[in-house]
Amino acid sequence: MTMTLLLIFGVFLITLFLNIPIAMGLGIAGLTVVLVEDAVPLSFLIQTTFGSSDSFPLLAIPFFILAGEIMSTGGIARRLIDFVQNIVGSITGSLGLITIIASLIFAAISGSGAATVASIGAITIPYMLKNGYSKPYAASIAASAGTLGPIIPPSITFILYGVMASVSIGDMFIAGLIPGLLMATALVVINYIISKKEGFGGAKNVGEKISFWKSLNEAKWALLAPVIILGGIYGGIVTPTEAAVIAVVYSLIVSVFIYKEFKLNQLLDVFLRATTVSGTIMIFVSTASFFGKVLALKQIPQYIAGVIADFTTNPIIILLLINIFLLIVGAFMETVAAILLFVPLLLPIVLPLGIDPIHFGIIVCLNLALGLITPPLGLNIFIASNIARIRFEQSLKYFIPIFTTLLIVLLIVTFIPQVSLFLPNLLSK
């Protein structure tokens, strides 16, 4: 068992050092064990990689990605910001608050952290800079607000976790509501504290001022999107995959025929961007599923669980160790790869402790969401820094208190299960 463990993870680490893409590295590592130990026929690779992609729930991912791309291009994000600006007004830190609330709403449409930062941050960061906000803070708050993307349903990471852990994706969506709102509240509080200290005021230079009712009228179609998507899922009318298809059709109709900002000649570029992201994820799914199957066949998750059980059976300590481990993983590995690689390893450790797999899924996804703002990978912080035209290191002054605030939320979610389980339990009665 120890030799198999060293072989599979040793080969995987070698592929990382050789700068081989992670998806390919997972396949190579799993294939090495199959060839060296003759554990299963070689055809197992083809069967597993193809079979894992042939999944109806996974179809939701490319459709949500496509919907997010269409909404970003079609003027929906800008109208959301105009509407939120009218609600918030010019209080202390209002532009940071606008960024957080707009990201919260957009996350309920796109399901992606990077898409949320790119769409909302591209508009609000220049606004913040024009109104005297420092570049490092503008980048930090926009990147941090983007962490709501993987937690507020419909979430791509929840879909992946649901497939890997064989739990209801609808339950995962419901369970993410309170943690997501808790994260948003924490960001609002830290935004106010920092803005008060630094003297970041309200919005004075953000373009033409429009009335509340006009902004509501302009944004009503954008605000309807999460209601239709989430209402359809929670009402049992559609599955998450069907809701994703509806999101694409709805966003096209609104962007092309109502807002009239999306031209049909832009469709090819949008499809190409969405296809590139979706294709990358599906390759990850295929090779990671093969890797996970090899681990399961060799009983490596049970072996690791036994090692940890010999060290401690205290669920509090084990959850703390898992949190630390996932925070480190999230700093160095893409979210998709981390979920597909480590969920099959970690679930056998926590399930015997009586930890609900839905609750554990929220813990995993929240940890990896924080990885989006943690260097060296930190995709969100790099996107926001590029928009603000600064090096990501310059944002560390503000990044540390924001990250600490979100860590407190992580601990609350980890050790108070009802934060995640209250709504699923309530709706199941």
Side-chain angles (χ1 to χ4, degrees), residues 4 29 31 49-50 60 64 67 69 91 129 148-149 172 179 182 208 211-212 239 261 293 375 416 419 421:
T4 303
L31 186 59
T49 51
F50 180 79
F64 275 127
E69 289 286 350
I91 62 173
L129 301 185
L148 297 171
M172 285 295 300
L182 192 59
E208 182 185 356
S211 71
F212 169 80
T239 66
E261 291 190 18
K293 291 283 188 182
I416 306 178
V419 173
L421 299 178

Side-chain angles (χ1 to χ4, degrees), residues 12 15-16 19-27 284 287 332-334 337-338 341:
F12 178 61
T15 63
L16 291 182
N19 206 28
I20 294 172
I22 293 176
M24 298 299 103
L26 291 171
F284 264 125
T287 56
F332 290 92
M333 187 176 288
E334 291 173 308
L341 178 58

Side-chain angles (χ1 to χ4, degrees), residues 254-272:
V254 171
S255 299
V256 174
F257 298 107
I258 298 177
Y259 291 156
K260 298 180 180 178
E261 291 190 18
F262 187 93
K263 307 302 179 186
L264 289 179
N265 59 10
Q266 296 175 293
L267 199 57
L268 181 59
D269 287 338
V270 167
F271 270 115
L272 285 174

Side-chain angles (χ1 to χ4, degrees), residues 95 124-136 138-139 387-389:
L95 284 175
T124 60
I125 289 176
Y127 282 176
M128 283 190 268
L129 301 185
K130 288 179 183 177
N131 282 270
Y133 287 64
S134 71
K135 287 184 176 182
I387 296 170
R389 297 184 179 179

Side-chain angles (χ1 to χ4, degrees), residues 148-377:
L148 297 171
I151 305 300
I152 293 291
S155 161
I156 292 171
T157 56
F158 286 173
I159 296 170
L160 286 171
Y161 177 86
V163 170
M164 295 303 293
S166 298
V167 299
S168 166
I169 294 171
D171 285 348
M172 285 295 300
F173 284 178
I174 296 168
L177 278 172
I178 295 178
L181 293 173
L182 192 59
M183 287 176 67
T185 303
L187 288 173
V188 168
V189 171
I190 194 66
N191 169 69
Y192 180 81
I193 293 171
I194 294 175
S195 297
K196 189 78 172 176
K197 180 181 177 182
E198 300 289 338
F200 299 146
K204 301 174 184 175
N205 187 20
V206 293
E208 182 185 356
K209 179 72 174 177
I210 59 177
S211 71
F212 169 80
W213 295 111
K214 184 177 179 181
S215 69
L216 176 60
N217 184 57
E218 283 280 303
K220 65 178 182 291
W221 298 107
L223 294 170
L224 263 178
V227 175
I228 292 171
I229 295 167
L230 298 178
I233 295 170
Y234 299 152
I237 302 169
V238 293
T239 66
T241 302
E242 292 163 345
V245 176
I246 291 171
V248 171
V249 175
Y250 180 84
S251 60
L252 265 177
I253 292 172
V254 171
S255 299
V256 174
F257 298 107
I258 298 177
Y259 291 156
K260 298 180 180 178
E261 291 190 18
F262 187 93
K263 307 302 179 186
L264 289 179
N265 59 10
Q266 296 175 293
L267 199 57
L268 181 59
D269 287 338
V270 167
F271 270 115
L272 285 174
R273 290 198 300 270
T275 302
T276 301
V277 177
S278 302
T280 303
I281 291 175
M282 296 312 293
I283 292 172
F284 264 125
V285 170
S286 298
T287 56
S289 296
F290 170 64
F291 186 88
K293 291 283 188 182
V294 172
L295 292 178
L297 282 170
K298 303 304 292 184
Q299 296 187 322
I300 289 175
Q302 291 85 345
Y303 174 74
I304 295 174
V307 171
I308 292 176
D310 289 340
F311 172 68
T312 179
T313 56
N314 187 322
I316 294 176
I317 296 175
I318 290 176
L319 284 175
L320 276 175
L321 291 174
I322 289 174
N323 274 330
I324 293 169
F325 172 71
L326 288 174
L327 285 171
I328 295 171
V329 165
F332 290 92
M333 187 176 288
E334 291 173 308
T335 303
V336 172
I339 288 177
L340 297 174
L341 178 58
F342 293 110
V343 166
L345 279 173
L346 296 175
L347 264 181
I349 296 172
V350 299
L351 292 182
L353 301 175
I355 296 170
D356 190 286
I358 298 289
H359 173 217
F360 185 66
I362 302 299
I363 295 172
V364 170
C365 293
L366 182 47
N367 270 286
L368 297 177
L370 295 186
L372 294 172
I373 56 171
T374 310
L377 190 61

